[in-house]
């Protein structure tokens, strides 16, 4: 048994040899890693490696077909995303889980609306929700004068930050981010990476999914590498360099031959 | 570090916040303008339209369609259709008619049984749609035909006719008719209580839609189903509730038509489901879900009532009504599309 020393960060999620099949398709098997408070666990892998499947298990959207999930050392089975949310595990999906035509403030509180009054007079506390939305976004450096505008009118990075701000506000202990930087430019990615660091510094455990080692390495404390549904390593930052991470990701030799190929093609043209 | 964050984000051009854009952005604006135009047109063109008797006629006409259009609008905002909504208005009335005249059931009990059956069918519609993932268009088309056939066959079998007769002789008929079929005469104009029901339903629906959690969920499940599920919106409950609301509204309209005329035909309501959808779309609802308003749908029904009776007052050939409706639908769809593009900042 591991003895938690005061200096080592508390482990929130422990994943033990977990796997998932979609019928005959074995999307994931034998994955082991952990998520600590105040640390970022990066999940890296190419398209189709099983990253989304992995976090859907953590988020309660899928039940694993094998293995064990422990929260605070206790084995759990989530029946729904709500159940995971109630244990403080919040997920920001690739599609951000926002409703584009709805105003920013309604999106911010969707599923956890504030109300006033009781019985048939129980109604949305619109004023308070708008106030909190403005305030929480301002805390994240987003200055929106009009939280009534449809969230679909915001830029990708801003929507991402609204989604992160929402999860943090609702008391997430673990924040799961599915490729938050995939669709963003360099500048916007930087903004999002800063919010990841900020959430981490607030003591949240962060699970950061990406296929870009250059985004993962600077903020990450632990790196889980996936390839075609299996783990090709679960490293602490001290055990791996950015170069090693990059070449592992691209499959080492494959990248070398690719480099040769590209070089020749370039010379010819 | 914080300052750079603010800089990157705040340099984005701000969406303007002019009141005119706000008003253009409301779903019901187009319907309001159209309703005023129709009203002015028939008021000038005919002598009877803008009199109390005239108003009584077109309001009555609009009221039952209005109740259904509002319910159908909520359902459409929630991303679904109910093609059985029309036939359900006849079905609920037939249940009461048959239970009372053929089986001697107390009329109040019959009305409550009818409501319970309607809600159960609505819940079944919703459950099947959600469980199978099939389009509600297909599932409720099935319900529509099942009910339409049953209405005819059962009525014919039990009464030997295609309509319910002798409702007024049923004990306590007057006590229940007061709620659904009574009217008030003001200055020669007859105003039915259905108009009050229409207004009440519109107010409640607007309140629910804009000021309750359920309303938030309705917009959400219609706008982005998966996102809603991911943030913990009770998707099944919301959708099933919407189908039940629609069939509940159909029950109300069934009671209104039964107790206003004291009879019901076996084919009552068949074909009207599309008129409800047209009213909702004319009122600014997006066919694709996630956007619309109850007031808009009520205005859509008002336009329908005014056009329907206006054509009669103007002594035009009423056969053209459907052509006018079809044109209005297309116009509304184009207008909604354009307004929404403007409101949400165009391209994105
Ligand atoms: N719902 C599903 N049904 C069947 N196969 C699936 C499903 N979701 C994902 N898969 C398969 O599982 C594998 C892993 O997918 P995914 O977790 O989405 O990868 P990633 O997010 O890393 O790109 C892929 O081969 C994909 O086709
Ligand atoms: Mg993915």
């Amino acid at each position: 048994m591991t003895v938690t020393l005061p200096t080592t960060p508390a482990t929130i999620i422990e994943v033990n040899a977990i796997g998932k099949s979609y019928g005959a398709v074995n999307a994931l098997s034998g994955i082991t890693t952990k998520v600590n408070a105040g640390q970022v666990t990066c999940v890296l892998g190419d398209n189709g490696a099983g990253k989304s499947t992995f976090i859907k298990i953590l988020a309660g959207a899928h039940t694993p077909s094998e293995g064990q999930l422990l929260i605070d050392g206790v084995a759990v089975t989530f029946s729904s995303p709500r159940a995971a949310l109630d244990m403080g595990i919040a997920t920001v999906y690739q599609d951000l889980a926002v409703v584009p035509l709805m105003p920013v403030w309604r999106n911010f509180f969707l599923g956890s609306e504030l109300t006033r009054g009781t019985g048939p007079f129980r109604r949305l506390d619109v004023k308070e929700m708008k106030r909190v939305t403005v305030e929480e976004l301002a805390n994240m450096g987003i200055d929106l004068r009009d939280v009534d505008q449809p969230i679909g009118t915001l830029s990708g990075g801003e929507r991402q930050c609204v989604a992160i701000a929402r999860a943090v506000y609702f008391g997430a202990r673990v924040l799961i981010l599915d490729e938050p930087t995939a669709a963003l430019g360099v500048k916007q990615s930087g903004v999002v990476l800063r919010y990841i660091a900020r959430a981490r510094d607030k003591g949240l455990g962060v699970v950061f999914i990406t296929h870009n080692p250059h985004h993962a390495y600077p903020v990450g404390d632990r790196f889980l590498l996936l390839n075609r549904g299996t783990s090709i390593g679960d490293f602490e930052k001290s055990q791996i360099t950015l170069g090693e991470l990059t070449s592992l990701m691209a499959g080492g030799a494959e990248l070398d031959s690719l480099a040769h190929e590209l070089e020749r093609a370039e010379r010819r043209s | 570090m914080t300052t750079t964050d603010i800089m990157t984000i705040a340099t984005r051009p701000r969406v303007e916040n002019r009141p005119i854009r706000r008003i253009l952005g409301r779903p019901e604006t187009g319907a309001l303008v159209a309703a005023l135009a129709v009203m002015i047109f028939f008021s000038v063109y005919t002598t009877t339209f803008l009199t109390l008797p005239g108003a009584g006629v077109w309001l009555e006409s609009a009221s039952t369609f209005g109740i259904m259009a509002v319910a159908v609008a909520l359902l459409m905002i929630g991303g679904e259709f109910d093609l059985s909504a029309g036939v359900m208005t006849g079905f609920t009335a037939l249940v009461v008619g048959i239970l009372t005249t053929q089986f001697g059931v107390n009329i109040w009990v019959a009305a409550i049984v009818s409501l319970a059956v309607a809600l159960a069918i609505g819940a079944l519609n919703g459950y099947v749609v959600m469980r199978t993932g099939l389009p509600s268009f297909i599932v409720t088309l099935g319900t529509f035909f099942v009910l339409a056939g049953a209405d005819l066959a059962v009525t014919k079998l039990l009464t030997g006719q295609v309509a319910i007769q002798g409702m007024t002789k049923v004990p306590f008929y007057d006590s229940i008719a007061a709620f659904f079929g009574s009217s008030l005469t003001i200055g020669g104009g007859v105003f039915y209580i259905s108009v009050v029901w229409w207004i009440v339903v519109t107010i409640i629906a607007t309140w629910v839609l804009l000021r309750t959690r359920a309303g938030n969920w309705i917009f959400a499940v219609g706008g982005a189903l998966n996102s809603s599920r991911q943030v913990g919106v009770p998707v099944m409950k919301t959708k099933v509730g919407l189908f039940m609301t629609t069939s509940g509204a159909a029950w109300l309209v069934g009671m209104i038509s039964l107790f206003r005329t004291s009879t019901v035909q076996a084919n009552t309501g068949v074909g009207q489901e599309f008129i409800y959808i047209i009213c909702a779309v004319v009122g600014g609802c997006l066919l694709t879900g996630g956007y619309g308003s109850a007031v808009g749908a009520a205005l859509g029904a008002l336009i329908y009532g005014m056009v329907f009776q206006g054509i009669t007052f103007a002594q035009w050939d009423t056969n053209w009504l459907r052509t006018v409706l079809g044109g209005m639908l297309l116009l509304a769809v184009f207008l909604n599309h354009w307004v929404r593009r403007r409101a949400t900042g165009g391209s994105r």
Side-chain angles (χ1 to χ4, degrees):
Chain A
M1 282 305 308
T2 28
V3 180
T4 316
L5 302 168
T7 45
T8 53
T11 298
I12 305 177
I13 303 182
E14 252 181 281
V15 181
N16 269 336
I18 229 162
K20 168 81 191 169
S21 331
Y22 297 106
V25 184
N26 202 358
L28 207 64
S29 64
I31 307 300
T32 300
T33 189
K34 58 184 174 183
V35 182
N36 292 342
Q39 291 199 347
V40 180
T41 298
C42 297
V43 181
L44 293 120
D46 224 334
N47 288 331
K51 303 185 295 295
S52 295
T53 304
F54 175 68
I55 60 157
K56 276 178 184 157
I57 294 172
L58 298 191
H62 287 333
T63 38
S65 331
E66 57 182 64
Q68 217 183 12
L69 194 63
L70 293 102
I71 310 290
D72 300 320
V74 183
V76 292
T77 315
F78 295 132
S79 54
S80 69
R82 186 85 243 176
L85 212 54
D86 290 342
M87 295 203 73
I89 299 171
T91 309
V92 176
Y93 285 96
Q94 237 160 347
D95 55 16
L96 299 183
V98 297
V99 186
L101 279 172
M102 288 176 83
V104 174
W105 68 269
R106 282 188 186 265
N107 266 292
F108 194 95
F109 282 94
L110 187 56
S112 313
E113 296 84 356
L114 304 179
T115 57
R116 305 192 307 145
T118 50
F121 300 106
R122 185 156 171 226
R123 59 200 181 274
L124 295 179
D125 193 347
V126 178
K127 234 172 119 183
E128 178 67 6
M129 284 195 279
K130 285 188 184 176
R131 189 191 67 73
V132 171
T133 306
V134 170
E135 191 179 292
E136 289 300 312
L137 292 185
N139 281 346
M140 289 222 122
I142 306 170
D143 168 32
L144 275 190
R145 199 187 306 162
D146 183 13
V147 289
D148 255 323
Q149 61 183 294
I151 201 162
T153 61
L154 301 187
S155 75
E158 283 171 311
R159 261 177 291 169
Q160 194 73 54
C161 293
V162 172
I164 296 175
R166 173 170 72 182
V168 172
Y169 174 77
F170 285 106
R173 297 166 62 213
V174 175
L175 190 58
I176 302 174
L177 306 168
D178 190 9
E179 307 218 29
T181 55
L184 301 182
V186 177
K187 230 179 198 175
Q188 299 252 358
S189 295
V191 173
V192 171
L193 289 176
R194 270 192 212 109
Y195 296 138
I196 292 176
R198 207 172 285 181
R200 172 198 66 195
D201 295 342
K202 278 187 171 180
L204 275 80
V206 179
V207 181
F208 174 29
I209 287 81
T210 178
H211 56 243
N212 188 337
H214 298 277
H215 287 165
Y217 200 76
V219 286
D221 297 289
R222 169 178 287 278
F223 306 91
L224 169 67
L225 282 98
L226 299 182
N227 185 28
R228 296 205 192 115
T230 55
S231 170
I232 51 172
D234 179 34
F235 306 98
E236 287 191 27
K237 194 165 195 168
S238 57
Q239 299 171 323
I240 195 166
T241 66
L242 175 59
E244 287 165 350
L245 194 63
T246 311
S247 75
L248 259 178
M249 265 273 318
E254 263 174 61
L255 188 70
D256 285 343
S257 75
L258 182 66
H260 278 295
E261 231 177 282
L262 293 175
E263 222 174 307
R264 273 207 307 276
E266 208 172 300
R267 225 177 293 145
R268 249 186 261 136
S269 62
Chain B
M1 221 146 99
T2 316
T3 27
T4 47
D5 295 356
I6 294 168
M7 287 303 293
T8 17
I9 296 241
T11 42
R12 175 186 61 88
R14 221 176 234 114
V15 174
E16 282 182 66
N17 195 12
R18 285 171 302 174
I20 185 79
R21 168 159 270 167
R22 270 277 159 80
I23 292 165
L24 266 184
R26 297 288 321 147
E28 60 272 357
T29 307
L32 184 63
V33 173
L36 286 174
V38 169
M39 187 180 282
I40 291 168
F41 175 78
F42 283 113
S43 302
V44 174
Y45 194 79
T46 73
T47 49
T48 32
F49 191 84
L50 206 63
T51 59
L52 285 172
V57 172
W58 50 259
L59 279 176
E60 190 273 323
S61 199
S63 63
T64 46
F65 284 100
I67 293 167
M68 288 313 292
V70 167
V72 164
L74 295 191
L75 185 66
M76 196 184 292
I77 294 169
E80 306 291 346
F81 295 101
D82 186 355
L83 295 188
S84 67
V87 73
M88 189 70 85
T89 64
F91 174 79
T92 49
L94 286 168
V95 168
V96 173
I98 287 171
L99 284 180
T100 52
T101 62
Q102 304 300 312
F103 297 97
V105 175
N106 175 291
I107 198 160
W108 283 97
V109 174
I112 289 166
V113 168
S114 172
L115 174 61
V117 173
L119 292 178
I121 295 174
L124 188 68
N125 273 341
Y127 186 76
V128 171
V129 166
M130 292 307 288
R131 258 298 135 97
T132 60
L134 288 169
S136 49
F137 205 81
I138 291 299
V139 172
T140 59
L141 185 65
T143 318
F144 170 17
F145 274 72
V146 168
L147 289 181
D151 278 2
L152 263 173
V154 175
T155 309
K156 201 85 182 286
L157 186 73
L158 291 176
T159 69
Q161 295 170 312
V162 288
I164 301 291
Q165 308 287 345
M167 276 305 291
T168 45
K169 292 192 214 84
V170 171
F172 306 113
Y173 176 85
D174 291 331
S175 72
I176 190 166
F179 285 92
F180 298 110
S182 61
S183 62
L184 197 68
T185 307
I186 309 167
V190 182
F191 294 88
Y192 279 93
I193 198 167
S194 59
V195 178
V196 176
W197 281 113
W198 175 31
I199 294 168
V200 168
V201 165
T202 307
I203 291 172
I204 294 175
T206 301
W207 159 266
V208 168
L209 211 45
L210 297 179
R211 285 294 173 267
T212 69
R213 303 187 74 189
N216 227 25
W217 299 340
I218 292 171
F219 279 109
V221 296
L225 186 68
N226 265 328
S227 300
S228 313
R229 197 174 273 132
Q230 284 165 2
V231 295
V233 170
V235 170
M236 177 70 121
K237 209 168 94 180
T238 307
K239 294 252 186 180
V240 170
L242 284 171
F243 278 101
M244 291 174 75
T245 303
T246 308
S247 57
W251 171 82
L252 176 58
V253 170
M255 296 305 103
I256 286 170
S257 54
L258 175 63
F259 292 109
R260 192 178 58 214
T261 59
S262 77
T263 182
V264 53
Q265 307 284 325
N267 66 348
T268 295
V270 172
Q272 300 194 330
E273 55 285 334
F274 285 114
I275 294 176
Y276 311 148
I277 293 175
I278 290 176
C279 291
V281 172
V282 166
C285 290
L286 282 187
L287 279 163
T288 44
Y291 190 77
S293 90
V295 173
L299 286 170
L302 180 65
I303 294 171
Y304 173 81
M306 290 193 301
V307 169
F308 182 35
Q309 299 302 337
I311 286 176
T312 312
F313 290 156
Q315 289 175 328
W316 296 342
D317 184 353
T318 48
N319 291 326
W320 287 105
L321 176 67
R322 284 181 172 228
T323 307
V324 174
L325 281 181
M328 264 172 26
L329 175 68
L330 290 176
L331 204 70
V333 171
F334 294 139
L335 188 76
N336 286 354
H337 188 68
W338 179 77
V339 165
R340 191 170 59 98
R341 284 264 301 274
R342 293 284 305 262
T344 56
S347 55
R348 262 181 302 194

